[in-house]
Amino acid sequence: MNTLSLVHQQLELFIRPGDCIIDATAGNGRDTVFLCGLTGATGHVLAFDIQQQAVENTKKRLEESGWSQTAEVILDSHANMAQYAQPGSVDCIVFNLGWLPGGNHTIFTHADSTIAAIEAGLTLLRDGGLMCVSIYYGGASGYAERDALLEYVKTIDPMQYTVLVTQFANRMGDPPIPVFIIKGT
Ligand code: SAM
């Protein structure tokens, strides 16, 4: 069990065919394709990345796996996601923070835009909707984003959202931290 498999397990339990999903960090498209497999052809996945390379890699992976019609890949910051969906219309939003695997390790997610994106995403979620934020940290990206996010999530309105911060207590190194935010109490 690791962060990826834990988050994927929860997504498998939560997402239903026909759902509308946002992949906030498309990267190489592995999560985007996984999410398309859960929504099926009747669903819709919006995938964001700020790197042209990530957008191309994700589109290629979608084409190869036959999901091009289900996902839309957008070259834009996830902080702008509210421009692409209606409030209360999204079932699930997934963030996989850090840098593009196999890509430029000096380009990675940052606390200010990630927090702006989480705030935007919370308005887009339907009642009962789920947001999963996997916080990768350490290495080139350091600890600033992790520290800011762990403080920020404590401030999310407890009358509207339930926030779960998951910790791998007996792992060496810098195990990524899965955070689950449910719209509802
Ligand atoms: N989910 C991806 C996959 O399955 O391959 C991996 C995502 S990777 C760990 C993180 C990605 O976030 C990188 O591709 C990076 O370019 C992207 N990113 C960084 N800042 C961003 C932002 N403000 N908006 C959208 N994507 C961003």
Side-chain angles (χ1 to χ4, degrees), residues 146-167:
R146 177 199 65 178
D147 294 346
L149 285 178
L150 291 179
E151 284 308 308
Y152 162 70
V153 295
K154 291 182 199 165
T155 70
I156 293 174
D157 182 1
M159 301 303 284
Q160 289 196 69
Y161 302 95
T162 302
V163 181
L164 301 168
V165 177
T166 316
Q167 191 183 8

Side-chain angles (χ1 to χ4, degrees), residues 4 23-32 48-51 54 58 61 76-79 95-101 107-110 113-114 136:
L4 185 70
D23 181 352
T25 50
N28 291 319
R30 291 182 192 278
D31 287 319
T32 314
F48 293 87
D49 208 291
I50 51 168
Q51 293 193 66
T58 299
R61 196 175 290 273
D76 197 355
S77 171
H78 41 220
F95 292 80
N96 193 336
L97 304 178
W99 58 72
L100 178 65
I107 303 173
F108 46 79
T109 51
H110 290 273
S113 46
T114 303
Y136 286 78

Side-chain angles (χ1 to χ4, degrees), residues 14 60 87 135 175 178:
F14 184 81
K60 184 163 180 282
I135 308 177

Side-chain angles (χ1 to χ4, degrees), residues 33 60-68:
V33 165
K60 184 163 180 282
R61 196 175 290 273
L62 286 164
E63 273 160 28
E64 288 168 355
S65 52
W67 290 114
S68 297

